[in-house]
Amino acid sequence: MRSMPWKDFFALAISIGVVGLGLGATTPLTALTLDQRGVGTDIIGLITAASAIGILASAPFVARLVARFGPRGGMLLSVWAAALSTALMEVTDNLTLWALLRFVFGAAMGVLFTIGEAWVNRLAPGNSRGKVVAMYTTSFTLFQLVGPALVAAFESKIDLPFAACGAMFLLALPGLGLIANADTGHEDDPHVAWQLVLPRMPMIVAGAAFFALFDTLALSLLPLYALRHGIPTELALLSATVVLVGDTALQFPLGWLADRVGRARVHTGCGVVVCLLLPVLPFAAGTPWLWWTLLLLLGAAAGGTYMLALVACGERFHGQSLVAASAVVNASWGITSSGGPMLTGVLMQTVGINALPAVLWVGGALFLASAWWERRKGFNLPANEVAPPI
């Protein structure tokens, strides 16, 4: 890791961390404000889904944006878009406009995530990629954890909360300005269509999609699941936080292990752990120590499926192909995080509360199936080589 441009890395990690802070504050603030205005949960769900749809909608355009403005220019534009779309929620109560602003916000997040993930993969040395990407994802998750706490601490104490959240995003601008290595070195490469990279990333897409499902369900439906199993309200609400703590605390050890024994082995191992632990979830609710331990381990293993999907992107792609692959990752996130909670909510209502771990188990099993398929097909091309469509 001696060749690592640490100044550039820390500037990028802190910048994307600040974005995570704003995201972590804005999302619960939106839901809380709508609830206080008497808006139904169905409408709140639709407005929340608008952000995920925005992430999906931005995916086809990120590579062109990078080719035109460069990675730093694309991120700067997206930071301003996120700040303005959040601040403008302060000046209107129109729910249609709120949905539109959340769509723009999601599109900005999609661009930021795609460029940031591609950029950190470029900065990371090949033999330390797992540790470097893990530090990057840990920074984002750690900042994101602080966001809801800020909303709780300053509730009713700030007159213009959405304007304050919008201004929070602008704190990312100095960090982006400090990055000396401000280009990927491949802006002159021809645009790479997502159709060319998708056949080389089944396990990457499945890992990102599974974590998107896990993350959104943990934040939205896991507290309800805990309540239905008799866990007190305060502890039920804490369940999602414990999952995020597990995700945050254990990413670096997983990245270190991936660098030592191989990314594919650790990546598959995360899926195995998830599928072994999820069936225990319904039986753990009555035993506090088992419940919290299970949530910590599930958060770590599920987070590992996403972090190591980003590592796999850096192993297989470079230049504009890496940008296109990162856009596919975020498109899969947008699809799953917008549709997954709605489908799971319906199943929990009609089939039973334990549909939550069942849906997650199916997602984990599909991830393991993608790992088996990759191994069967021999996905062992040299790093940064892109195969033709299969």
Side-chain angles (χ1 to χ4, degrees), residues 36-382:
Q36 291 172 344
R37 293 176 182 174
V39 177
T41 55
D42 54 344
I43 302 299
I44 294 175
L46 288 173
I47 292 178
T48 301
S51 294
I53 296 171
I55 292 175
L56 175 62
S58 69
F61 305 103
V62 179
R64 292 186 178 88
L65 186 70
V66 172
R68 181 175 179 84
F69 298 104
R72 182 162 63 178
M75 292 186 80
L76 289 171
L77 287 172
S78 298
V79 166
W80 278 106
L84 290 173
S85 61
T86 300
L88 286 173
M89 294 174 72
E90 200 74 69
V91 300
T92 179
D93 294 331
N94 187 290
L95 295 181
T96 301
L97 290 178
W98 268 44
L100 179 60
L101 290 170
R102 294 304 290 174
F103 175 85
V104 173
F105 176 84
M109 291 296 102
V111 173
L112 284 165
F113 296 154
T114 298
I115 298 177
E117 290 160 7
W119 206 343
V120 75
N121 260 313
R122 176 187 168 269
L123 293 174
N127 61 353
S128 303
R129 192 181 306 277
K131 294 189 289 289
V132 171
V133 174
M135 286 189 287
Y136 173 85
T137 56
T138 298
S139 172
F140 176 82
T141 309
L142 186 61
F143 274 86
Q144 189 181 25
L145 269 172
V146 177
L150 286 179
V151 174
F154 293 106
E155 185 183 2
S156 303
K157 297 178 182 178
I158 297 179
D159 293 331
L160 303 173
F162 286 102
C165 283
M168 198 180 299
F169 286 104
L170 300 182
L171 297 175
L173 297 178
L176 292 174
L178 287 174
I179 304 177
N181 208 356
D183 60 74
T184 64
H186 300 281
E187 283 77 10
D188 294 331
D189 289 357
H191 167 68
V192 177
W194 63 269
Q195 294 93 332
L196 295 178
V197 299
L198 181 60
R200 286 292 303 159
M201 42 190 316
M203 191 176 179
I204 296 172
V205 169
F210 169 72
F211 183 66
L213 178 67
F214 183 90
D215 188 56
T216 52
L217 292 184
L219 291 174
S220 58
L221 297 178
L222 180 61
L224 175 61
Y225 180 83
L227 283 170
R228 296 287 179 86
H229 277 282
I231 294 177
T233 303
E234 304 80 20
L235 297 180
L237 294 173
L238 186 61
S239 297
T241 302
V242 172
V243 168
L244 289 176
V245 169
D247 177 20
T248 304
L250 294 179
Q251 291 313 291
F252 185 81
L254 288 174
W256 174 86
L257 189 62
D259 289 336
R260 293 292 298 269
V261 305
R263 190 271 315 162
R265 290 180 180 178
V266 180
H267 208 179
T268 303
C270 288
V272 171
V273 169
V274 163
C275 287
L276 288 176
L277 293 181
L278 279 169
V280 185
L281 197 62
F283 307 100
T287 308
W289 70 266
L290 181 58
W291 175 257
W292 301 121
T293 303
L294 199 64
L295 293 184
L296 281 170
L297 293 176
L298 280 171
T305 64
Y306 181 71
M307 182 269 291
L308 292 171
L310 302 185
V311 174
C313 276
E315 290 176 353
R316 295 180 186 175
F317 306 106
H318 73 290
Q320 291 294 329
S321 295
L322 178 56
V323 175
S326 297
V328 170
V329 167
N330 283 286
S332 67
W333 181 287
I335 292 171
T336 311
S337 60
S338 58
M342 289 187 285
L343 173 62
T344 306
V346 170
L347 290 175
M348 289 172 70
Q349 186 71 29
T350 56
V351 177
I353 195 68
N354 286 317
L356 174 65
V359 168
L360 289 173
W361 190 90
V362 170
L366 290 174
F367 169 71
L368 288 179
S370 72
W372 171 83
W373 191 87
E374 281 202 2
R375 185 170 182 177
R376 181 170 174 268
K377 290 292 185 179
F379 274 35
N380 294 312
L381 291 177

